[in-house]
């Protein structure tokens, strides 16, 4: 049996909130009204210390509920807090399709990779564990209000007081009942009700609509009784399924279901762990959530070897918040476990690991020229291109596989996937070294120059709001 450890520090203790009252789901709560109030909380700038920042300030729906400022995304990718000269240490994660993340646990087994990993919780480092409220998403909502680098409210009581004086206070109490915003006698219980209400909005169809081009394709594939998990890159160069390729394994077997040929090829690359595939689906899985559609995450933690983002403004934060200055290193999950008092035997193997995000809405943006940032620290500024995150995956995997090619030319043909570079010297310096070199996961090499565009085309089908042409 796998050994599970018990948490020794709860999120409530870490945040300085003692005596957090338990607010269980109550019978008779109107779910739609709960969501409506949650949306008002999410967009309310009055819930920050100087009434200038809301949850939506860093999690903009137009940008896939993540960073809304292209200039910030182009540089450090960390949004400023309500007090403008204060910055956190990571790019804001998207809040879409996150509501089914389980409590943080160390007993998740990734069958595709054949490894055991931590999974669950919220934030890039999993520190909203779910241990306090039984709901990591609600616990995540507890954090930004009281974080001095974000919304900077001094305590939960003031947050409750602001909500109690809001224009929607009566709506809140109509949902939760009289005195559900008692900031004098029950600030802890009232605060819990507030964050659970925000979580209800973040789980709502408005935030998780499943209206992408992929979702239409997925419905059509199920109706046609075709399993998309079978698609591979076998016989990839053929526009029709060649002899010897079993039915359902060739990309042409999925024509007519809503994706273009290039998008289908990208799906094959995404799924396949052999030949010319990138094996993305081993972590960004096709496992269905409660709505019956893939969530594109295993909620696990991995170190991909992402470089430091030298423009991260956290490096310049005062010693009070960043005692390491420019030498600060983001150890992710391992850093959280260490700071929480875990033994070295537990946290050292997790150093440098960050949570696998859902790929849904990864390319959602308000305009085609809008710059998004990718990775936990926003180092990458595009999906495609030689400096984009897709090329980084191919390059890092190829370098780890012996440097056969430069990640653009390598993958898919030689030993371990390397194809060689036609006499070119491997480009070992295309990307900077990893911020944390230990505990890096082995990634599958693939030929970026040959299949990178297909992979990006598929990722772009995950953007919600797709309207098929007549």
């Amino acid at each position: 049996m796998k050994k599970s450890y018990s948490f020794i520090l709860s999120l409530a203790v870490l945040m300085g909130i003692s005596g957090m009252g338990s607010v269980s789901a109550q019978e008779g709560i109107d779910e739609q009204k709960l969501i409506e109030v949650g949306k008002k909380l999410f967009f309310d700038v009055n819930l920050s210390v100087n009434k200038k920042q809301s949850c939506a300030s860093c999690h903009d729906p137009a940008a896939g509920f993540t960073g809304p400022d292209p200039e910030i995304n182009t540089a450090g990718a960390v949004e400023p807090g309500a007090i403008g000269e204060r910055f956190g240490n990571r790019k804001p994660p998207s809040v879409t399709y996150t509501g089914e993340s389980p409590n943080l646990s160390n007993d998740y087994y990734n069958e595709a990779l054949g490894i055991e990993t931590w999974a669950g919780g919220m934030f890039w480092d999993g520190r909203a564990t779910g241990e306090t409220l039984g709901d990591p998403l609600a616990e995540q909502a507890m954090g930004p209000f009281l974080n001095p680098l974000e919304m900077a409210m001094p305590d939960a009581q003031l947050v409750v007081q602001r909500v109690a004086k809001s224009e929607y206070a009566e709506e809140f109490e109509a949902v939760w009942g009289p005195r559900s915003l008692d900031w004098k006698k029950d600030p802890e219980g009232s605060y819990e009700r507030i964050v659970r209400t925000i979580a209800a909005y973040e789980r709502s169809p408005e935030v998780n609509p499943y209206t992408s081009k992929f979702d239409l394709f997925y419905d059509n594939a199920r109706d046609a009784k075709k399993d998309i998990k079978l698609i591979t890159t076998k016989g990839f160069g053929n526009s029709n399924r060649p002899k010897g390729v079993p039915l359902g394994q060739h990309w042409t077997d999925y024509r007519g279901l809503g994706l273009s040929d290039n998008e289908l090829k990208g799906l094959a690359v995404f799924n396949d762990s052999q030949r010319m595939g990138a094996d993305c689906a081993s972590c960004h899985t096709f496992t269905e959530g409660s709505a019956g559609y893939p969530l594109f995450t295993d909620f696990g933690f991995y170190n991909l070897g992402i470089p430091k983002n030298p423009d991260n403004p956290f490096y310049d934060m005062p010693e009070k918040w960043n005692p390491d200055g420019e030498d600060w290193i983001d150890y992710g999950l391992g850093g959280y476990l260490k700071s929480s008092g875990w033994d070295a035997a537990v946290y050292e193997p997790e150093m440098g690991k960050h949570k696998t995000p859902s790929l849904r809405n990864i390319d959602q943006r308000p305009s085609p020229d809008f710059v998004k940032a990718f990775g936990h620290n926003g180092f990458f500024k595009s999906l495609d291109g030689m400096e984009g995150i897709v090329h980084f995956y191919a390059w890092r995997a190829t370098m780890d596989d012996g440097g056969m090619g430069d990640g653009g030319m390598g993958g898919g043909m030689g030993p371990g996937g390397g194809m060689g570079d036609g006499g070119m010297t491997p480009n070992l310096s295309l990307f900077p070294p990893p911020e944390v070199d230990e505990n890096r996961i082995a990634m599958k090499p693939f030929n970026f120059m040959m299949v990178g565009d297909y992979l990006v085309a598929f990722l772009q089908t995950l953007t919600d709001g797709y309207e098929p042409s007549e």
Side-chain angles (χ1 to χ4, degrees), residues 136-379:
L137 189 61
E139 287 184 14
Q140 184 277 330
M142 294 166 67
F145 292 122
L146 307 182
N147 188 331
L149 303 181
E150 296 187 56
M151 300 170 83
M153 294 289 270
D155 52 45
Q157 186 176 47
L158 183 56
V159 178
V160 178
Q161 185 180 6
R162 294 271 182 94
V163 176
K165 295 181 178 181
S166 70
E167 295 179 352
Y168 53 87
E170 290 186 6
E171 297 175 60
F172 188 100
E173 292 196 332
V175 171
W176 287 102
R179 297 182 298 280
S180 54
L181 286 172
D182 191 338
W183 57 273
K184 292 182 178 180
K185 295 182 178 180
D186 185 25
E188 292 87 5
S190 298
Y191 189 59
E192 181 180 338
R193 284 183 278 271
I194 288 171
V195 298
R196 288 190 184 278
T197 306
I198 293 172
Y201 170 64
E202 293 176 337
R203 286 191 171 95
S204 71
E206 180 174 327
V207 181
N208 317 275
Y210 296 98
T211 56
S212 70
K213 187 176 186 180
F214 169 82
D215 294 313
L216 177 60
F217 163 78
Y218 197 70
D219 283 336
N220 292 337
R222 282 191 296 194
D223 290 344
K225 294 182 170 50
K226 293 186 177 182
D227 185 353
I228 70 167
K229 294 189 292 294
L230 298 178
I231 192 170
T232 72
T233 57
K234 190 172 183 180
F236 198 69
N238 297 279
S239 59
N240 293 292
R241 179 163 47 87
K243 293 181 180 179
V245 178
L247 185 67
Q249 290 192 16
H250 195 255
W251 64 270
T252 57
D253 295 336
Y254 299 83
R255 277 175 166 164
L257 300 177
L259 295 187
S260 70
D261 282 2
N262 284 353
E263 291 161 352
L264 287 173
K265 292 177 183 178
L267 172 59
V269 173
F270 184 92
N271 182 59
D272 200 349
S273 62
Q274 306 295 324
R275 307 173 190 88
M276 298 176 66
D279 196 25
C280 308
S282 62
C283 298
H284 299 283
T285 68
F286 292 126
T287 302
E288 294 181 352
S290 59
Y293 296 92
L295 296 173
F296 291 96
T297 176
D298 64 355
F299 302 113
F301 292 82
Y302 307 97
N303 179 9
L304 308 176
I306 291 177
K308 294 181 72 168
N309 185 345
D311 296 322
N312 189 337
F314 186 70
Y315 294 124
D316 297 323
M317 289 299 293
E319 185 177 358
K320 177 180 180 180
W321 292 298
N322 179 17
D324 295 326
E326 293 183 356
D327 295 326
W328 175 74
I329 296 175
D330 189 349
Y331 286 111
L333 173 65
Y336 161 67
L337 295 175
K338 181 178 181 180
S339 69
S340 299
W342 291 86
D343 293 336
V346 178
Y347 69 73
E348 285 182 351
E350 311 309 321
M351 287 297 198
K353 295 182 180 180
H354 292 85
K355 191 178 180 186
T356 304
S358 171
L359 294 180
R360 286 183 168 273
N361 291 315
I362 187 172
D363 200 41
Q364 186 176 33
R365 60 188 76 216
S367 63
D369 59 348
F370 179 91
V371 177
K372 289 191 76 168
F374 302 94
H376 66 274
N377 61 7
F379 177 87

Side-chain angles (χ1 to χ4, degrees), residues 109-123:
Y109 183 74
N110 185 313
E111 186 174 354
L113 297 177
I115 61 173
E116 189 174 80
T117 179
W118 288 73
M122 289 294 294
F123 294 114

Side-chain angles (χ1 to χ4, degrees), residues 236 261-270 276 447-461:
F236 198 69
D261 282 2
N262 284 353
E263 291 161 352
L264 287 173
K265 292 177 183 178
L267 172 59
V269 173
F270 184 92
M276 298 176 66
N447 190 317
F448 173 78
M449 297 299 289
M450 186 176 291
V451 302
D453 287 346
Y454 299 146
L455 185 54
V456 171
F458 170 69
L459 294 175
Q460 290 172 335
T461 71

